[in-house]
Amino acid sequence: MSSLPAGFWNRILFLLQNYGFSLLKGAGTSLLIAFVGTLIGCVIGFIVGIIQTIPVQKSDSFAKRALLKAVNLILAVYVEVFRGTPMMVQAMFIFYGIAYLLHYVMGMWFAAFFIVSINTGAYMAETVRGGILSIDAGQTEGAKAIGMNHLQTMLYVILPQALRNIMPQIGNNLIINIKDSCVLSVICVVELFFASKSISGTYYIFFEVFTLAMAMYLIMTVFFSRLLRWFEKKMDGADSYDLATTDTLAHTSGMLNYPGKRG
Amino acid sequence: MDNNETILAVNHLSKRFGENTVLRDINCRVSTGDVICVIGASGSGKSTMLRCINLLETPTGGEILFHGTDILSGGLSLSAYRAKVGMVFQSFNLFSNMNVLDNCMVGMRRVLKLDKGTAKEKALFYLSKVGMSPYINARPRQLSGGQKQRVAIARALAMEPEILLFDEPTSALDPQMVGEVLNVMKALADDGMTMLIVTHEMAFARDVARHVIYMDKGVVCEEGPPEQIFVSPKKQETKDFLSRFIRG
Ligand SMILES: Nc1ncnc2c1ncn2[C@@H]1O[C@H](COP(=O)(O)OP(=O)(O)OP(=O)(O)O)[C@@H](O)[C@H]1O
Ligand SMILES: [Mg+2]
């Protein structure tokens, strides 16, 4: 343990030289948890949101309707429980609950991914449901009218549009997860906050360490929100389009009036 | 009507929404090459009739026979039936996540399971038929209303349906774009395409239709060749509707 210099900037420099790597590693851990958690969370959210928007028809069999009702009830409970409790408490509850009941201690990575995914999934389920419901009914009718079934309509028409519409929400969740992965420090996941806390505890310097932590969180969140904004733009496709041929007849065909039409 | 093969026969079709009976005892027969125009006041059930025919709404009574097969009792799969009965909507309903070409290809690829090359070839053929082949890379939001409707017609044609249903295809368009869509439809009629068209374009109905159905309050009030309906209608309701329409 080398000795601590005096002065704010000297201390920052000292921390970067001696602990830069462990802070970076903590930041990397935060990012990885946020990424995997958001990704799996989105998958969960899509599955739940899709199941919740399956249309029920009067003509469907009783078994199908009963099954859908039961599944929807379970999903509703899942969404309420995980949206209605703090992730920090969920982390303690799940980690120690499983250790107590199943005599199994989850690994750090598994616990982190599991908790963030299941939490994000609960939020995304509502977002996806809203995203699907927000797509104009005409899109579904257009798809049905050319013979697509429910699955095809969802896969090729509705979900791509819903995904585009909820991209800002997905980005938002990623940003939240980058920050909120810090609550996993309560189950000893060594992410950026945990790393910062250990370093500050060693030297009893808090301001300098957390200045660095603040900066690192901010760089990560700003960078990824910009990246996602760019990605959204890319999803929209080009603002203009190229005409495929120079067939002049085709251009002007729109200008002719129907001859029989009056006034 | 002529003696061509009957594609579609609608017998005693009725539709209720709750307590509200919207269609009552509708009978209609569509044979190869027919161009039938359906006219009538707003709320008379024209859209509901078309939507029942391609099962976007479930009829509450009657039968729909497609080449003699009752489709309401599940004699034919919904997908297979709809692939054969195309529909063009007032609001276009183009897929906004796809460009023009993909809009026309997706049905052929996913429903008819055609390979990519064939689907593309056919899509381009039908797009050029409606004068939209230069626009294959455009997204629907980048097109004018008339262009969107022509793409929607190409999308329906690309499925090579036996009959094409139109629900007021020009009602959402600015007046200067109505002509381009009607021209396309006229050309299809001249090609022998079988069509059932709900429209408020009386001049078009008079010139293009081989049979006109006038609907009033959920029933077929009068039907016959365009000369009869537009020149010497037999029913007072038809006269009143047309005179109201012409006075505008
Ligand atoms: N989904 C629905 N639920 C309840 N009532 C409906 C529904 N769809 C249509 N109707 C009713 O059915 C009647 C006929 O409607 P429809 O849309 O078929 O008329 P239309 O002849 O196409 O009129 P327009 O010329 O305005 O398009 C109307 O009174 C309408 O309110
Ligand atoms: Mg209508």
Side-chain angles (χ1 to χ4, degrees):
Chain A
M1 194 165 121
S2 38
S3 66
L4 187 68
F8 180 78
W9 292 111
N10 286 335
R11 284 179 174 183
I12 294 276
L13 209 65
F14 168 84
L15 287 170
L16 284 176
Q17 275 163 357
N18 291 284
Y19 293 97
F21 181 71
S22 45
L23 285 173
L24 270 183
K25 211 173 139 195
T29 304
S30 293
L31 262 189
L32 189 62
I33 292 170
F35 261 116
V36 174
T38 308
L39 198 74
I40 301 177
C42 280
V43 173
I44 296 174
F46 264 90
I47 293 170
V48 175
I50 290 168
I51 293 176
Q52 286 182 329
T53 48
I54 293 178
V56 196
Q57 263 125 31
K58 284 202 192 100
S59 54
D60 289 336
S61 68
F62 176 77
K64 184 182 167 190
R65 279 190 295 169
L67 182 70
L68 260 179
K69 236 193 161 109
V71 171
N72 275 326
L73 187 73
I74 294 168
L75 295 180
V77 170
Y78 157 66
V79 170
E80 289 304 331
V81 167
F82 282 89
R83 283 200 319 169
T85 53
M87 191 158 80
M88 196 190 268
V89 179
Q90 291 164 19
M92 299 289 267
F93 179 77
I94 292 173
F95 186 77
Y96 292 106
I98 286 181
Y100 176 77
L101 293 172
L102 305 178
H103 306 287
Y104 167 71
V105 180
M106 291 167 139
M108 170 186 111
W109 289 110
F110 180 72
F113 293 152
F114 183 78
I115 289 158
V116 177
S117 303
I118 203 149
N119 192 281
T120 308
Y123 278 93
M124 286 305 301
E126 285 296 281
T127 308
V128 170
R129 200 171 72 88
I132 291 173
L133 294 179
S134 76
I135 304 299
D136 177 34
Q139 296 286 311
T140 308
E141 296 198 338
K144 281 185 176 173
I146 53 173
M148 286 198 209
N149 59 31
H150 180 72
L151 186 70
Q152 291 170 329
T153 304
M154 275 289 168
L155 223 53
Y156 302 118
V157 178
I158 305 300
L159 290 180
Q161 294 182 47
L163 178 67
R164 169 63 193 91
N165 288 354
I166 65 176
M167 267 316 280
Q169 288 301 319
I170 294 177
N172 213 19
N173 266 304
L174 178 66
I175 303 298
I176 289 173
N177 284 339
I178 291 174
K179 297 184 296 168
D180 283 7
S181 55
C182 75
V183 307
L184 297 174
S185 61
V186 297
I187 53 168
C188 300
V189 174
V190 192
E191 41 63 67
L192 181 53
F193 175 72
F194 192 95
S196 309
K197 228 173 86 175
S198 333
I199 299 165
S200 62
T202 315
Y203 290 101
Y204 294 100
I205 48 165
F206 293 91
F207 182 50
E208 291 83 351
V209 174
F210 283 98
T211 302
L212 283 176
M214 282 286 278
M216 289 173 92
Y217 274 118
L218 196 62
I219 289 169
M220 289 193 286
T221 53
V222 169
F223 177 76
F224 281 102
S225 66
R226 290 296 127 85
L227 190 72
L228 283 160
R229 197 68 53 77
W230 173 83
F231 186 67
E232 277 172 36
K233 267 214 132 110
K234 237 183 120 76
M235 278 178 94
D236 286 340
D239 285 337
S240 57
Y241 54 88
D242 298 323
L243 289 175
T245 66
T246 46
D247 180 356
T248 47
L249 227 171
H251 282 277
T252 52
S253 68
M255 301 303 138
L256 300 171
N257 267 326
Y258 175 67
K261 193 177 149 51
R262 290 173 188 169
Chain B
M1 266 185 255
D2 44 25
N3 296 323
N4 286 338
E5 190 195 354
T6 302
I7 300 175
L8 196 71
V10 174
N11 298 324
H12 310 294
L13 182 79
S14 66
K15 173 69 183 172
R16 263 184 299 112
F17 289 109
E19 294 295 287
N20 183 13
T21 303
V22 174
L23 293 178
R24 237 167 302 148
D25 195 27
I26 302 283
N27 297 288
C28 162
R29 184 170 300 273
V30 187
S31 308
T32 319
D34 275 352
V35 178
I36 301 176
C37 282
V38 182
I39 59 172
S42 184
S44 56
K46 307 181 296 296
S47 297
T48 308
M49 179 175 93
L50 281 200
R51 294 167 59 80
C52 281
I53 288 179
N54 85 344
L55 298 185
L56 285 176
E57 303 285 358
T58 315
T60 36
E63 57 178 9
I64 298 173
L65 303 179
F66 184 71
H67 291 294
T69 310
D70 186 0
I71 53 160
L72 292 177
S73 59
L76 194 64
S77 92
L78 205 53
S79 289
Y81 172 67
R82 283 186 178 140
K84 299 229 170 275
V85 179
M87 176 114 170
V88 174
F89 301 87
Q90 181 175 346
S91 50
F92 327 123
N93 296 348
L94 291 178
F95 307 132
S96 30
N97 57 317
M98 301 177 199
N99 65 20
V100 166
L101 185 63
D102 290 336
N103 259 282
C104 295
M105 282 174 63
V106 67
M108 288 187 279
R109 298 273 289 127
R110 307 302 171 186
V111 179
L112 302 180
K113 316 274 185 215
L114 297 185
D115 65 85
K116 209 168 174 180
T118 315
K120 183 168 180 183
E121 199 176 304
K122 286 191 180 201
L124 288 174
F125 174 75
Y126 288 106
L127 280 167
S128 70
K129 237 181 152 131
V130 300
M132 286 301 290
S133 56
Y135 296 90
I136 49 172
N137 298 316
R139 295 276 180 134
R141 65 182 149 85
Q142 296 164 322
L143 300 176
S144 75
Q147 292 174 326
K148 279 188 223 178
Q149 195 59 294
R150 287 188 281 147
V151 173
I153 292 173
R155 176 177 74 180
L157 285 174
M159 299 297 288
E160 304 190 326
E162 293 185 31
I163 168 172
L164 211 45
L165 312 174
F166 291 80
D167 190 5
E168 299 192 31
T170 58
S171 292
L173 300 178
D174 289 338
Q176 69 268 27
M177 294 167 189
V178 170
E180 66 187 63
V181 172
L182 292 183
N183 277 326
V184 165
M185 291 167 65
K186 171 103 172 49
L188 290 179
D190 292 342
D191 276 2
M193 182 76 211
T194 309
M195 304 196 278
L196 182 57
I197 305 166
V198 171
T199 185
H200 287 303
E201 297 289 335
M202 296 302 157
F204 175 82
R206 197 194 50 220
D207 292 356
V208 178
R210 259 152 258 176
H211 189 77
V212 178
I213 295 176
Y214 169 64
M215 281 185 68
D216 187 35
K217 301 192 188 75
V219 297
V220 174
C221 179
E222 181 171 354
E223 62 181 311
E227 305 81 55
Q228 175 196 329
I229 302 290
F230 292 109
V231 182
S232 50
K234 296 198 170 88
K235 293 269 181 75
Q236 190 58 41
E237 289 93 334
T238 318
K239 275 182 205 158
D240 291 346
F241 170 75
L242 287 170
S243 67
R244 246 183 301 138
F245 216 92
I246 285 158
R247 264 190 278 116

